[in-house]
Amino acid sequence: MTTYGSFPGTRPRRLRTTPVMRRMVAETRLHPADFILPAFVREGVREPVPIAAMPGVVQHTRDTLKKAAAEAVEAGISGIMLFGVPEEEKKDALGTVGTDPDGILQVALRDVRAEVGDDLLVMSDLCLDEFTDHGHCGVLDDEGRVDNDATLERYAEMAQVQADAGAHVVGPSGMMDGQIGVVRDALDQIGREDVAVLAYTAKYASAFYGPFREAVGSSLKGDRKTYQQDAANTRESMRELALDLAEGADMVMVKPAGPYLDILAKVAEAVDVPVAAYQISGEYSMIEAAAEKGWIDRDRAILEALTGIKRAGARNILTYWATEVARTLR
């Protein structure tokens, strides 16, 4: 006599027999609204510039960026996160072009907002690294170290000009202490309580950022280990999370996504605000490169990676495949 609850009476494979059965019992589902598209816009180019280290991704012109935003709306994704790439000669030690109302990022924000209105969340990266001649995310002191508090003054100004340019959401990504509170206060001072703050809460000093450096034309010398988090640490992320929430973060994010799913799961379990994860350039490029070699099934690998990120607790995912995958899902 078979005892209930043991083999052969219990056979979990019954719930895997057909595609319809597997779909019905799926615990995690991807949806177009889950996705946010990171996009780069480059000043002074007439045609999109392919990013060699990120096959299929380009530095947009202003016109092609507007087209990409319109396609994102059509695909049903939730947002687009903009990164500006200025002309090299415009970079300086303070990242001045990052707070110039006519700087490439602010111009692009106005372009995209005019194109899509409120049909797509227009988000802006709030950091200095794209705009400084040294490539760091902040202002340097006399000894070449990133000056946290001087950098916060620049972030406050950036937040205000980005909001004025049309950003629905700003994403402070420099990992400076106190950045969320300073940005929130700066927005409120100009009556922009409606602009949300997506905190880059757990942003690790990762080797997987490599292709991104090409994407933004980074001038970085050295590394960012004195302000981005150490890959060995977990409790540090939870401390950063508590601080960001106390300072007024509307949403929080873990970056990178794939190598830090344990951190993502802990963050998602701990909070009652939306949690995002950024599937970064290295994660994207590894799959594309392996697929190009014929070593993996590209489409299946993409969906598997994204499903893993959502299963770990991400409500939203920043991914360079956002529009493509959203079309597939629809």
Side-chain angles (χ1 to χ4, degrees):
M1 184 179 209
T2 300
T3 302
Y4 179 77
S6 65
F7 180 81
T10 299
R11 294 178 181 267
R13 285 184 58 189
R14 293 186 188 117
L15 300 182
R16 306 173 195 152
T17 52
T18 69
V20 173
M21 177 66 83
R22 293 191 294 274
R23 185 181 68 193
M24 184 183 76
V25 301
E27 300 172 33
T28 304
R29 300 182 192 276
L30 295 170
H31 187 278
D34 297 337
F35 300 125
I36 297 164
L37 175 68
F40 309 100
V41 57
R42 180 169 171 177
E43 187 174 22
V45 295
R46 295 183 178 180
E47 299 291 337
V49 179
I51 300 169
M54 299 176 68
V57 180
V58 302
Q59 295 171 328
H60 284 286
T61 69
R62 290 174 59 186
D63 286 339
T64 63
L65 178 65
K66 290 189 289 185
K67 180 181 178 183
E71 290 172 348
V73 172
E74 183 181 2
I77 73 173
S78 290
I80 185 168
M81 175 68 80
L82 301 186
F83 297 83
V85 184
E87 294 175 322
E88 192 67 26
E89 62 269 19
K90 292 186 178 180
K91 296 180 181 182
D92 61 22
L94 299 178
T96 304
V97 71
T99 50
D100 181 350
D102 294 321
I104 183 59
L105 181 53
Q106 285 69 251
V107 169
L109 286 167
R110 291 194 292 270
D111 284 344
V112 173
R113 189 66 188 273
E115 181 73 21
V116 301
D118 293 332
D119 292 337
L120 185 71
L121 287 175
V122 180
M123 305 178 172
S124 56
D125 179 60
L126 199 163
C127 196
L128 288 172
D129 60 319
E130 300 104 303
F131 310 113
T132 55
D133 55 12
H134 47 72
H136 278 287
C137 297
V139 178
L140 303 185
D141 64 17
D142 292 341
E143 297 183 22
R145 302 169 301 188
V146 175
D147 186 323
N148 191 94
D149 295 2
T151 299
L152 294 180
E153 295 179 17
R154 300 287 295 126
Y155 285 2
E157 189 177 352
M158 289 188 81
Q160 292 175 342
V161 298
Q162 290 178 2
D164 285 342
H168 293 102
V169 180
V170 295
S173 61
M175 290 300 289
M176 296 297 121
D177 294 339
Q179 64 182 12
I180 303 304
V182 165
V183 166
R184 180 72 271 160
D185 185 57
L187 292 168
D188 293 351
Q189 284 180 17
I190 61 170
R192 296 309 307 271
E193 295 88 353
D194 59 320
V195 175
V197 178
L198 169 58
Y200 283 61
T201 291
K203 183 177 180 182
Y204 284 87
S206 173
F208 292 96
Y209 294 132
F212 183 87
R213 305 281 164 79
E214 178 189 349
V216 296
S218 175
S219 304
L220 180 66
K221 302 174 182 65
D223 58 52
R224 299 187 172 118
K225 293 181 180 179
T226 65
Y227 45 102
Q228 294 178 353
Q229 288 180 237
D230 190 324
N233 294 347
T234 298
R235 285 192 295 270
E236 185 179 34
S237 291
M238 304 311 290
R239 185 184 186 198
E240 293 278 5
L241 175 64
L243 291 168
D244 283 354
L245 292 174
E247 291 174 23
D250 299 292
M251 299 171 277
V252 296
M253 183 158 66
V254 174
K255 181 180 182 180
Y260 297 90
L261 294 181
D262 59 325
I263 306 300
L264 176 58
K266 287 179 181 293
V267 169
E269 181 68 23
V271 303
D272 57 3
V273 299
V275 176
Y278 197 143
Q279 185 185 51
I280 67 169
S281 58
E283 298 175 74
Y284 171 93
S285 296
M286 286 192 300
I287 290 177
E288 290 287 354
E292 184 179 355
K293 291 282 190 179
W295 293 340
I296 60 173
D297 182 319
R298 176 185 181 274
D299 294 346
R300 285 184 59 196
I302 291 170
L303 289 175
E304 185 175 338
L306 292 170
T307 299
I309 294 167
K310 189 171 182 184
R311 188 185 63 242
R315 182 64 189 85
N316 297 105
I317 303 170
L318 286 83
T319 175
Y320 300 99
W321 289 302
T323 302
E324 175 187 344
V325 172
R327 286 172 172 161
T328 299
L329 294 173
R330 286 166 70 95

